[in-house]
Amino acid sequence: EHPMLRGLYYRLYFGVAICNQYIKECSDIDATKTAEIRFLRALYYYYLLDMWGNVPFTTEVGSAGTQMQRADLYAWLEKELKEIEPNLSAPQAKTSADAGYGRADKAAAWMLLARLYLNAEVYTGNAHWDLASQYAKKVMTESGRSLNTTGQNGWTAYQMLFMGDNGESSAAKEAILPVLQD
């Protein structure tokens, strides 16, 4: 009943609806952009799965969907992320001056798979620690990303992650899916 939780729930489903509309109208225009939109829809569904468990599910525009069990949504997310991975752009650390900054790449899909596998036992009853480790290692070794260890102007490396210029500083190399806003 808390209004902030209700707002989050509805906002996640609004995101799913926008993604479904894009896929219906534009999926044949650009394979990479469509994969990015499918990633965002998967991310919304991951949050719904993680926070609410058995949730309504649809990939159709205008459909209220049907209630999906956690294990089934887990299986759909795993399949969806593996299916879109080849169409996502190459994993690479970017600054805000680079083309594609703020867009999902293969590393974003790997990170979401790692998180999904990390919690697999809760969602399905079966642990997948080995897969969680495998995908986390891919992010660490194949994405060009690394932890920021460089502070500047009296700020710690950690504080640099939350600065307004974190897309231009040493902190940019740590961001896998930065949220862009003015």
PDB file of all heavy atoms in Angstrom, residues 117-144:
ATOM      1  N   TYR A 117      21.464 -15.458 -12.078  1.00  0.00           N
ATOM      2  CA  TYR A 117      22.004 -16.729 -11.597  1.00  0.00           C
ATOM      3  C   TYR A 117      22.354 -16.673 -10.112  1.00  0.00           C
ATOM      4  O   TYR A 117      22.226 -17.670  -9.416  1.00  0.00           O
ATOM      5  CB  TYR A 117      23.227 -17.137 -12.399  1.00  0.00           C
ATOM      6  CG  TYR A 117      22.927 -17.530 -13.831  1.00  0.00           C
ATOM      7  CD1 TYR A 117      23.705 -17.071 -14.875  1.00  0.00           C
ATOM      8  CD2 TYR A 117      21.870 -18.379 -14.133  1.00  0.00           C
ATOM      9  CE1 TYR A 117      23.439 -17.438 -16.185  1.00  0.00           C
ATOM     10  CE2 TYR A 117      21.591 -18.749 -15.442  1.00  0.00           C
ATOM     11  CZ  TYR A 117      22.384 -18.278 -16.458  1.00  0.00           C
ATOM     12  OH  TYR A 117      22.119 -18.651 -17.749  1.00  0.00           O
ATOM     13  N   LEU A 118      22.790 -15.524  -9.655  1.00  0.00           N
ATOM     14  CA  LEU A 118      23.139 -15.377  -8.244  1.00  0.00           C
ATOM     15  C   LEU A 118      21.939 -15.673  -7.339  1.00  0.00           C
ATOM     16  O   LEU A 118      22.076 -16.238  -6.265  1.00  0.00           O
ATOM     17  CB  LEU A 118      23.668 -13.966  -7.978  1.00  0.00           C
ATOM     18  CG  LEU A 118      24.213 -13.672  -6.599  1.00  0.00           C
ATOM     19  CD1 LEU A 118      25.454 -14.514  -6.323  1.00  0.00           C
ATOM     20  CD2 LEU A 118      24.566 -12.192  -6.490  1.00  0.00           C
ATOM     21  N   ASN A 119      20.760 -15.305  -7.799  1.00  0.00           N
ATOM     22  CA  ASN A 119      19.538 -15.501  -7.016  1.00  0.00           C
ATOM     23  C   ASN A 119      18.687 -16.665  -7.513  1.00  0.00           C
ATOM     24  O   ASN A 119      17.527 -16.801  -7.126  1.00  0.00           O
ATOM     25  CB  ASN A 119      18.707 -14.213  -7.017  1.00  0.00           C
ATOM     26  CG  ASN A 119      19.410 -13.094  -6.295  1.00  0.00           C
ATOM     27  OD1 ASN A 119      19.822 -13.260  -5.159  1.00  0.00           O
ATOM     28  ND2 ASN A 119      19.573 -11.979  -6.966  1.00  0.00           N
ATOM     29  N   ALA A 120      19.242 -17.509  -8.371  1.00  0.00           N
ATOM     30  CA  ALA A 120      18.481 -18.605  -8.979  1.00  0.00           C
ATOM     31  C   ALA A 120      17.827 -19.512  -7.952  1.00  0.00           C
ATOM     32  O   ALA A 120      16.705 -19.985  -8.156  1.00  0.00           O
ATOM     33  CB  ALA A 120      19.384 -19.420  -9.899  1.00  0.00           C
ATOM     34  N   GLU A 121      18.492 -19.755  -6.843  1.00  0.00           N
ATOM     35  CA  GLU A 121      17.942 -20.648  -5.837  1.00  0.00           C
ATOM     36  C   GLU A 121      16.633 -20.099  -5.257  1.00  0.00           C
ATOM     37  O   GLU A 121      15.704 -20.861  -4.988  1.00  0.00           O
ATOM     38  CB  GLU A 121      18.966 -20.874  -4.723  1.00  0.00           C
ATOM     39  CG  GLU A 121      18.616 -22.013  -3.804  1.00  0.00           C
ATOM     40  CD  GLU A 121      19.757 -22.387  -2.876  1.00  0.00           C
ATOM     41  OE1 GLU A 121      20.749 -21.635  -2.779  1.00  0.00           O
ATOM     42  OE2 GLU A 121      19.641 -23.439  -2.247  1.00  0.00           O
ATOM     43  N   VAL A 122      16.544 -18.790  -5.118  1.00  0.00           N
ATOM     44  CA  VAL A 122      15.310 -18.171  -4.622  1.00  0.00           C
ATOM     45  C   VAL A 122      14.205 -18.293  -5.669  1.00  0.00           C
ATOM     46  O   VAL A 122      13.056 -18.583  -5.350  1.00  0.00           O
ATOM     47  CB  VAL A 122      15.545 -16.684  -4.278  1.00  0.00           C
ATOM     48  CG1 VAL A 122      14.239 -15.981  -3.936  1.00  0.00           C
ATOM     49  CG2 VAL A 122      16.539 -16.550  -3.145  1.00  0.00           C
ATOM     50  N   TYR A 123      14.563 -18.091  -6.947  1.00  0.00           N
ATOM     51  CA  TYR A 123      13.561 -18.065  -8.006  1.00  0.00           C
ATOM     52  C   TYR A 123      13.112 -19.456  -8.444  1.00  0.00           C
ATOM     53  O   TYR A 123      11.960 -19.641  -8.818  1.00  0.00           O
ATOM     54  CB  TYR A 123      14.092 -17.332  -9.234  1.00  0.00           C
ATOM     55  CG  TYR A 123      14.633 -15.953  -8.963  1.00  0.00           C
ATOM     56  CD1 TYR A 123      15.759 -15.491  -9.634  1.00  0.00           C
ATOM     57  CD2 TYR A 123      14.031 -15.097  -8.051  1.00  0.00           C
ATOM     58  CE1 TYR A 123      16.268 -14.229  -9.399  1.00  0.00           C
ATOM     59  CE2 TYR A 123      14.532 -13.843  -7.803  1.00  0.00           C
ATOM     60  CZ  TYR A 123      15.651 -13.412  -8.486  1.00  0.00           C
ATOM     61  OH  TYR A 123      16.155 -12.158  -8.246  1.00  0.00           O
ATOM     62  N   THR A 124      14.044 -20.432  -8.427  1.00  0.00           N
ATOM     63  CA  THR A 124      13.744 -21.740  -9.008  1.00  0.00           C
ATOM     64  C   THR A 124      13.904 -22.909  -8.044  1.00  0.00           C
ATOM     65  O   THR A 124      13.485 -24.010  -8.355  1.00  0.00           O
ATOM     66  CB  THR A 124      14.666 -22.021 -10.213  1.00  0.00           C
ATOM     67  OG1 THR A 124      16.006 -22.198  -9.752  1.00  0.00           O
ATOM     68  CG2 THR A 124      14.590 -20.909 -11.239  1.00  0.00           C
ATOM     69  N   GLY A 125      14.578 -22.689  -6.925  1.00  0.00           N
ATOM     70  CA  GLY A 125      14.871 -23.783  -6.012  1.00  0.00           C
ATOM     71  C   GLY A 125      16.197 -24.462  -6.302  1.00  0.00           C
ATOM     72  O   GLY A 125      16.632 -25.334  -5.567  1.00  0.00           O
ATOM     73  N   ASN A 126      16.844 -24.064  -7.402  1.00  0.00           N
ATOM     74  CA  ASN A 126      18.133 -24.641  -7.789  1.00  0.00           C
ATOM     75  C   ASN A 126      19.190 -23.547  -7.859  1.00  0.00           C
ATOM     76  O   ASN A 126      19.005 -22.553  -8.556  1.00  0.00           O
ATOM     77  CB  ASN A 126      18.037 -25.318  -9.162  1.00  0.00           C
ATOM     78  CG  ASN A 126      17.033 -26.445  -9.173  1.00  0.00           C
ATOM     79  OD1 ASN A 126      17.031 -27.286  -8.293  1.00  0.00           O
ATOM     80  ND2 ASN A 126      16.152 -26.448 -10.165  1.00  0.00           N
ATOM     81  N   ALA A 127      20.297 -23.762  -7.172  1.00  0.00           N
ATOM     82  CA  ALA A 127      21.392 -22.790  -7.188  1.00  0.00           C
ATOM     83  C   ALA A 127      22.179 -22.892  -8.494  1.00  0.00           C
ATOM     84  O   ALA A 127      22.317 -23.982  -9.060  1.00  0.00           O
ATOM     85  CB  ALA A 127      22.323 -23.041  -6.007  1.00  0.00           C
ATOM     86  N   HIS A 128      22.649 -21.745  -8.972  1.00  0.00           N
ATOM     87  CA  HIS A 128      23.486 -21.695 -10.183  1.00  0.00           C
ATOM     88  C   HIS A 128      24.696 -20.809  -9.920  1.00  0.00           C
ATOM     89  O   HIS A 128      25.001 -19.894 -10.685  1.00  0.00           O
ATOM     90  CB  HIS A 128      22.681 -21.164 -11.373  1.00  0.00           C
ATOM     91  CG  HIS A 128      21.634 -22.109 -11.848  1.00  0.00           C
ATOM     92  ND1 HIS A 128      21.916 -23.278 -12.514  1.00  0.00           N
ATOM     93  CD2 HIS A 128      20.287 -22.075 -11.718  1.00  0.00           C
ATOM     94  CE1 HIS A 128      20.799 -23.922 -12.794  1.00  0.00           C
ATOM     95  NE2 HIS A 128      19.794 -23.206 -12.314  1.00  0.00           N
ATOM     96  N   TRP A 129      25.399 -21.099  -8.815  1.00  0.00           N
ATOM     97  CA  TRP A 129      26.552 -20.290  -8.433  1.00  0.00           C
ATOM     98  C   TRP A 129      27.625 -20.298  -9.516  1.00  0.00           C
ATOM     99  O   TRP A 129      28.271 -19.282  -9.761  1.00  0.00           O
ATOM    100  CB  TRP A 129      27.152 -20.797  -7.117  1.00  0.00           C
ATOM    101  CG  TRP A 129      26.161 -20.889  -6.002  1.00  0.00           C
ATOM    102  CD1 TRP A 129      25.691 -22.036  -5.421  1.00  0.00           C
ATOM    103  CD2 TRP A 129      25.499 -19.816  -5.337  1.00  0.00           C
ATOM    104  NE1 TRP A 129      24.785 -21.740  -4.430  1.00  0.00           N
ATOM    105  CE2 TRP A 129      24.645 -20.377  -4.358  1.00  0.00           C
ATOM    106  CE3 TRP A 129      25.531 -18.436  -5.475  1.00  0.00           C
ATOM    107  CZ2 TRP A 129      23.850 -19.617  -3.523  1.00  0.00           C
ATOM    108  CZ3 TRP A 129      24.734 -17.677  -4.640  1.00  0.00           C
ATOM    109  CH2 TRP A 129      23.909 -18.259  -3.691  1.00  0.00           C
ATOM    110  N   ASP A 130      27.824 -21.449 -10.156  1.00  0.00           N
ATOM    111  CA  ASP A 130      28.858 -21.555 -11.175  1.00  0.00           C
ATOM    112  C   ASP A 130      28.568 -20.631 -12.361  1.00  0.00           C
ATOM    113  O   ASP A 130      29.466 -19.974 -12.890  1.00  0.00           O
ATOM    114  CB  ASP A 130      29.006 -23.002 -11.651  1.00  0.00           C
ATOM    115  CG  ASP A 130      27.684 -23.617 -12.120  1.00  0.00           C
ATOM    116  OD1 ASP A 130      26.604 -23.172 -11.678  1.00  0.00           O
ATOM    117  OD2 ASP A 130      27.743 -24.568 -12.934  1.00  0.00           O
ATOM    118  N   LEU A 131      27.313 -20.537 -12.767  1.00  0.00           N
ATOM    119  CA  LEU A 131      26.943 -19.644 -13.869  1.00  0.00           C
ATOM    120  C   LEU A 131      27.046 -18.182 -13.453  1.00  0.00           C
ATOM    121  O   LEU A 131      27.452 -17.329 -14.247  1.00  0.00           O
ATOM    122  CB  LEU A 131      25.545 -19.975 -14.374  1.00  0.00           C
ATOM    123  CG  LEU A 131      25.417 -21.318 -15.102  1.00  0.00           C
ATOM    124  CD1 LEU A 131      23.954 -21.668 -15.337  1.00  0.00           C
ATOM    125  CD2 LEU A 131      26.191 -21.297 -16.402  1.00  0.00           C
ATOM    126  N   ALA A 132      26.661 -17.885 -12.205  1.00  0.00           N
ATOM    127  CA  ALA A 132      26.807 -16.512 -11.710  1.00  0.00           C
ATOM    128  C   ALA A 132      28.265 -16.096 -11.769  1.00  0.00           C
ATOM    129  O   ALA A 132      28.601 -14.997 -12.237  1.00  0.00           O
ATOM    130  CB  ALA A 132      26.272 -16.399 -10.288  1.00  0.00           C
ATOM    131  N   SER A 133      29.142 -16.981 -11.331  1.00  0.00           N
ATOM    132  CA  SER A 133      30.577 -16.699 -11.350  1.00  0.00           C
ATOM    133  C   SER A 133      31.097 -16.549 -12.779  1.00  0.00           C
ATOM    134  O   SER A 133      31.876 -15.639 -13.082  1.00  0.00           O
ATOM    135  CB  SER A 133      31.324 -17.826 -10.630  1.00  0.00           C
ATOM    136  OG  SER A 133      32.709 -17.657 -10.747  1.00  0.00           O
ATOM    137  N   GLN A 134      30.648 -17.411 -13.660  1.00  0.00           N
ATOM    138  CA  GLN A 134      31.093 -17.371 -15.059  1.00  0.00           C
ATOM    139  C   GLN A 134      30.749 -16.036 -15.715  1.00  0.00           C
ATOM    140  O   GLN A 134      31.591 -15.422 -16.373  1.00  0.00           O
ATOM    141  CB  GLN A 134      30.441 -18.520 -15.822  1.00  0.00           C
ATOM    142  CG  GLN A 134      30.700 -18.526 -17.314  1.00  0.00           C
ATOM    143  CD  GLN A 134      29.866 -19.594 -18.028  1.00  0.00           C
ATOM    144  OE1 GLN A 134      29.488 -20.610 -17.440  1.00  0.00           O
ATOM    145  NE2 GLN A 134      29.564 -19.354 -19.275  1.00  0.00           N
ATOM    146  N   TYR A 135      29.529 -15.578 -15.543  1.00  0.00           N
ATOM    147  CA  TYR A 135      29.126 -14.324 -16.178  1.00  0.00           C
ATOM    148  C   TYR A 135      29.739 -13.102 -15.486  1.00  0.00           C
ATOM    149  O   TYR A 135      30.070 -12.116 -16.145  1.00  0.00           O
ATOM    150  CB  TYR A 135      27.604 -14.219 -16.281  1.00  0.00           C
ATOM    151  CG  TYR A 135      27.100 -14.985 -17.476  1.00  0.00           C
ATOM    152  CD1 TYR A 135      26.663 -16.298 -17.359  1.00  0.00           C
ATOM    153  CD2 TYR A 135      27.105 -14.418 -18.740  1.00  0.00           C
ATOM    154  CE1 TYR A 135      26.233 -17.014 -18.461  1.00  0.00           C
ATOM    155  CE2 TYR A 135      26.678 -15.121 -19.853  1.00  0.00           C
ATOM    156  CZ  TYR A 135      26.246 -16.419 -19.705  1.00  0.00           C
ATOM    157  OH  TYR A 135      25.831 -17.125 -20.809  1.00  0.00           O
ATOM    158  N   ALA A 136      29.910 -13.155 -14.182  1.00  0.00           N
ATOM    159  CA  ALA A 136      30.587 -12.055 -13.483  1.00  0.00           C
ATOM    160  C   ALA A 136      32.039 -11.948 -13.958  1.00  0.00           C
ATOM    161  O   ALA A 136      32.545 -10.845 -14.177  1.00  0.00           O
ATOM    162  CB  ALA A 136      30.525 -12.265 -11.972  1.00  0.00           C
ATOM    163  N   LYS A 137      32.688 -13.080 -14.156  1.00  0.00           N
ATOM    164  CA  LYS A 137      34.074 -13.066 -14.658  1.00  0.00           C
ATOM    165  C   LYS A 137      34.140 -12.502 -16.069  1.00  0.00           C
ATOM    166  O   LYS A 137      35.090 -11.803 -16.415  1.00  0.00           O
ATOM    167  CB  LYS A 137      34.675 -14.467 -14.607  1.00  0.00           C
ATOM    168  CG  LYS A 137      35.065 -14.876 -13.204  1.00  0.00           C
ATOM    169  CD  LYS A 137      35.626 -16.280 -13.154  1.00  0.00           C
ATOM    170  CE  LYS A 137      35.917 -16.656 -11.713  1.00  0.00           C
ATOM    171  NZ  LYS A 137      36.259 -18.052 -11.549  1.00  0.00           N
ATOM    172  N   LYS A 138      33.138 -12.806 -16.900  1.00  0.00           N
ATOM    173  CA  LYS A 138      33.095 -12.226 -18.245  1.00  0.00           C
ATOM    174  C   LYS A 138      33.061 -10.700 -18.171  1.00  0.00           C
ATOM    175  O   LYS A 138      33.753 -10.021 -18.927  1.00  0.00           O
ATOM    176  CB  LYS A 138      31.873 -12.734 -19.023  1.00  0.00           C
ATOM    177  CG  LYS A 138      32.023 -14.114 -19.600  1.00  0.00           C
ATOM    178  CD  LYS A 138      30.768 -14.552 -20.321  1.00  0.00           C
ATOM    179  CE  LYS A 138      30.612 -13.884 -21.637  1.00  0.00           C
ATOM    180  NZ  LYS A 138      30.916 -14.677 -22.817  1.00  0.00           N
ATOM    181  N   VAL A 139      32.250 -10.175 -17.263  1.00  0.00           N
ATOM    182  CA  VAL A 139      32.180  -8.722 -17.106  1.00  0.00           C
ATOM    183  C   VAL A 139      33.541  -8.179 -16.695  1.00  0.00           C
ATOM    184  O   VAL A 139      34.016  -7.189 -17.240  1.00  0.00           O
ATOM    185  CB  VAL A 139      31.102  -8.318 -16.068  1.00  0.00           C
ATOM    186  CG1 VAL A 139      31.165  -6.828 -15.767  1.00  0.00           C
ATOM    187  CG2 VAL A 139      29.717  -8.702 -16.570  1.00  0.00           C
ATOM    188  N   MET A 140      34.177  -8.856 -15.740  1.00  0.00           N
ATOM    189  CA  MET A 140      35.455  -8.360 -15.218  1.00  0.00           C
ATOM    190  C   MET A 140      36.604  -8.505 -16.209  1.00  0.00           C
ATOM    191  O   MET A 140      37.524  -7.685 -16.206  1.00  0.00           O
ATOM    192  CB  MET A 140      35.798  -9.089 -13.915  1.00  0.00           C
ATOM    193  CG  MET A 140      34.857  -8.732 -12.774  1.00  0.00           C
ATOM    194  SD  MET A 140      35.309  -9.478 -11.209  1.00  0.00           S
ATOM    195  CE  MET A 140      34.794 -11.163 -11.430  1.00  0.00           C
ATOM    196  N   THR A 141      36.570  -9.517 -17.071  1.00  0.00           N
ATOM    197  CA  THR A 141      37.728  -9.764 -17.941  1.00  0.00           C
ATOM    198  C   THR A 141      37.510  -9.388 -19.398  1.00  0.00           C
ATOM    199  O   THR A 141      38.482  -9.142 -20.112  1.00  0.00           O
ATOM    200  CB  THR A 141      38.140 -11.252 -17.882  1.00  0.00           C
ATOM    201  OG1 THR A 141      37.043 -12.068 -18.333  1.00  0.00           O
ATOM    202  CG2 THR A 141      38.547 -11.650 -16.481  1.00  0.00           C
ATOM    203  N   GLU A 142      36.264  -9.330 -19.868  1.00  0.00           N
ATOM    204  CA  GLU A 142      36.019  -9.108 -21.292  1.00  0.00           C
ATOM    205  C   GLU A 142      35.335  -7.794 -21.626  1.00  0.00           C
ATOM    206  O   GLU A 142      35.107  -7.496 -22.792  1.00  0.00           O
ATOM    207  CB  GLU A 142      35.172 -10.260 -21.859  1.00  0.00           C
ATOM    208  CG  GLU A 142      35.829 -11.620 -21.756  1.00  0.00           C
ATOM    209  CD  GLU A 142      34.943 -12.743 -22.282  1.00  0.00           C
ATOM    210  OE1 GLU A 142      34.191 -12.501 -23.249  1.00  0.00           O
ATOM    211  OE2 GLU A 142      35.006 -13.844 -21.722  1.00  0.00           O
ATOM    212  N   SER A 143      34.991  -7.006 -20.619  1.00  0.00           N
ATOM    213  CA  SER A 143      34.181  -5.818 -20.903  1.00  0.00           C
ATOM    214  C   SER A 143      34.967  -4.519 -20.985  1.00  0.00           C
ATOM    215  O   SER A 143      34.423  -3.505 -21.397  1.00  0.00           O
ATOM    216  CB  SER A 143      33.090  -5.660 -19.835  1.00  0.00           C
ATOM    217  OG  SER A 143      33.660  -5.228 -18.622  1.00  0.00           O
ATOM    218  N   GLY A 144      36.222  -4.539 -20.554  1.00  0.00           N
ATOM    219  CA  GLY A 144      36.985  -3.298 -20.516  1.00  0.00           C
ATOM    220  C   GLY A 144      36.644  -2.435 -19.313  1.00  0.00           C
ATOM    221  O   GLY A 144      37.185  -1.350 -19.155  1.00  0.00           O
TER     222      GLY A 144
END
